[in-house]
Amino acid sequence: MKKLLTVLLSLVFCFGLIIGCTPKDGKNVVNLKVWGSQDDQFMLGEMVDSFKKAYPEKTYKITFGVVGEPDCYARVNEDAAAAADVFMFADDQIINMTKSGLLYEITRNTEQIKTANSAGSVSAATIDDKLYAYPCTADNTYFLYYNKSIVSEEQAKKMDDILAACQTADKKFFMDLSNGWYNASFFLTAGCTIDVGEDGKQIVDFNNANGLKAAVAMEAVAQHATFMTGDDTAVKTGLANNSFGAVVSGSWMANDFNTAWKENMGVVKLPTITLDGNQVQLKSFGGTKLCGVNALTKVPADAMKLAEWLTNEQNQVKRFKDRGMGPSNIVAANNDDVKANSIISVISEQFKYAVPQSNVLGGFWTPAEAFGNALETKDYGGKTLQELLDEMVTQIQA
């Protein structure tokens, strides 16, 4: 009997050891897949390592796939069940993403995320008042480059003063008004809107009373003696010829301006324009990168936790330092290193006045280009500004 009791106790003790030595219950092991661009892979790996250290209560097994932001919607839509749990995508894909039911609505720390990021980036991540993605960057917009030897810091604040300074110095003010991405700035400034209807068609009100005020303001710039237009190639040629006093462009041209103007290169948010007799700050389109969670993920709480981590303040600063991307996070945008970068700093300032381009559909661009081209060439075909606006809106909404 004594021997039997000893054997039983030994078995219980061993069974207890087996249970105690089991590393983790299967429920504490979480498998996740993350998609990002090729250039982001190493950085994402480091971010995931820090995520695992921050949440040691679970064993996270995280794998990576190379899918760039421009291709994300097509890849997820192709086979959502096989797609990543967490992925990066461009904000102009969010409408198709949500309509196709591919995004999990963000329900974790929603208000904190909205408060932490710039209004424009939050708007880009929001559909029907619901947050469907995490703002990741806010750096695709346009602003003003000015030559400090021609346009003063004070003059750079107002379009009228910029034009006057350029005329005095026999230099050009450059803005591509035949490009809808740029000329929409005037309409957005006047309070016009661009949206997508329930039928999936573009809705714009650029031909209302405010739209006409915007067109008059744009016409005044296009007809000024110093005005010049063209594409990026024309900008490079003009810089080589020392033709410009000020240019509206984006971050991708920074090296060209720095090479041409050196210490005279100034950058600032877009100026105010004279709109119906008042000075009004020019708005712009603003493009952001977003981080989404797959609607079919089997672990939504953990996927949201990871997506939030990848886009938090510290990782937006890291994204800036590692990849030169402008933060959407308000605190990150005010980081000393970020603020020391004049281009990223001015982008953050312009984003306060930026409107998400996530609502812009493909049919918008050609009619907007035709309208801008008419103003640039001063060839209205015998039509009034109002008639040109009506024609543009009809074509956009067709």
Side-chain angles (χ1 to χ4, degrees):
M1 182 71 180
K2 193 175 187 179
K3 188 173 182 182
L4 178 61
L5 184 61
T6 302
V7 171
L8 288 172
L9 287 171
S10 298
L11 288 171
V12 170
F13 178 72
C14 290
F15 184 67
L17 279 177
I18 291 170
I19 294 174
C21 291
T22 300
K24 294 252 178 139
D25 189 288
K27 293 180 181 178
N28 284 330
V29 177
V30 180
N31 294 293
L32 288 166
K33 186 190 295 183
V34 178
W35 278 354
S37 70
Q38 179 66 61
D39 292 337
D40 285 353
Q41 292 297 302
F42 183 78
M43 178 186 70
L44 286 172
E46 292 184 326
M47 291 177 175
V48 163
D49 287 342
S50 65
F51 170 76
K52 292 177 180 178
K53 291 176 182 177
Y55 296 101
E57 66 275 9
K58 292 185 179 181
T59 299
Y60 285 99
K61 295 183 178 180
I62 301 175
T63 56
F64 301 90
V66 176
V67 177
E69 292 89 353
D71 305 318
C72 191
Y73 166 66
R75 289 290 302 278
V76 178
N77 193 46
E78 185 179 279
D79 189 352
D85 300 276
V86 176
F87 40 72
M88 309 293 170
F89 65 98
D91 63 348
D92 60 359
Q93 299 172 28
I94 193 168
I95 290 178
N96 286 332
M97 285 270 201
T98 53
K99 281 188 175 181
S100 301
L102 303 177
L103 291 175
Y104 193 94
E105 182 188 345
I106 308 306
T107 56
R108 182 180 185 275
N109 297 334
T110 306
E111 291 307 314
Q112 293 95 312
I113 295 162
K114 291 180 179 179
T115 303
N117 291 278
S118 65
S121 66
V122 172
S123 178
T126 302
I127 299 292
D128 295 332
D129 297 323
K130 295 178 181 179
L131 192 69
Y132 278 99
Y134 297 82
C136 183
T137 70
D139 55 7
N140 188 25
T141 191
Y142 39 96
F143 48 89
L144 184 77
Y145 290 93
Y146 67 99
N147 189 317
K148 296 177 183 178
S149 68
I150 296 165
V151 179
S152 70
E153 183 178 353
E154 188 62 28
Q155 289 172 321
K157 297 177 181 179
K158 293 175 60 177
M159 180 68 79
D160 293 340
D161 292 346
I162 294 168
L163 295 172
C166 289
Q167 188 168 22
T168 298
D170 195 25
K171 299 295 181 181
K172 295 294 184 181
F173 165 75
F174 183 100
M175 185 173 184
D176 187 2
L177 291 180
S178 61
N179 185 323
W181 199 53
Y182 293 103
N183 71 38
S185 178
F186 288 80
F187 296 106
L188 299 174
T189 300
C192 296
T193 58
I194 181 166
D195 209 342
V196 178
E198 293 183 3
D199 58 359
K201 292 186 177 181
Q202 192 82 81
I203 302 173
V204 294
D205 59 3
F206 290 10
N207 60 337
N208 63 13
N210 286 334
L212 183 57
K213 293 175 183 177
V216 170
M218 198 189 311
E219 182 183 53
V221 174
Q223 293 189 358
H224 198 277
T226 67
F227 176 75
M228 180 177 170
T229 188
D231 57 13
D232 287 348
T233 300
V235 174
K236 292 182 179 183
T237 300
L239 286 173
N241 296 333
N242 192 26
S243 301
F244 302 130
V247 175
V248 172
S249 189
S251 60
W252 56 91
M253 297 293 292
N255 288 336
D256 296 279
F257 282 96
N258 188 51
T259 299
W261 289 350
K262 299 182 174 60
E263 69 277 2
N264 282 323
M265 187 186 84
V267 289
V268 69
K269 65 178 174 61
L270 293 176
T272 62
I273 59 169
T274 301
L275 189 70
D276 197 25
N278 300 307
Q279 287 300 306
V280 185
Q281 171 63 49
L282 265 178
K283 293 184 178 181
S284 62
F285 274 137
T288 67
K289 290 181 181 178
L290 302 173
C291 184
V293 172
N294 192 330
L296 298 184
T297 182
K298 296 177 181 178
V299 283
D302 293 289
M304 283 190 285
K305 187 183 294 185
L306 175 59
E308 185 176 353
W309 181 266
L310 295 176
T311 57
N312 66 12
E313 175 196 338
Q314 77 177 61
N315 281 318
Q316 289 207 24
V317 172
K318 178 176 176 59
R319 193 171 273 104
F320 161 74
K321 291 181 177 180
D322 291 5
R323 300 278 291 112
M325 298 178 183
S328 63
N329 182 279
I330 295 169
V331 177
N334 283 296
N335 174 275
D336 288 342
D337 290 329
V338 175
K339 291 173 71 174
N341 184 302
S342 61
I343 299 298
I344 297 298
S345 182
V346 75
I347 287 173
S348 296
E349 184 65 21
Q350 182 60 42
F351 251 84
K352 296 176 182 178
Y353 311 99
V355 175
Q357 62 194 66
S358 50
N359 283 333
V360 183
L361 303 180
F364 169 82
W365 304 110
T366 299
E369 176 183 338
F371 175 81
N373 187 63
L375 266 62
E376 288 180 344
T377 60
K378 304 177 182 61
D379 182 5
Y380 295 7
K383 299 172 184 175
T384 65
L385 269 181
Q386 184 64 61
E387 288 170 336
L388 288 176
L389 289 170
D390 291 339
E391 184 175 77
M392 173 177 65
V393 169
T394 298
Q395 291 173 354
I396 289 173
Q397 297 183 155

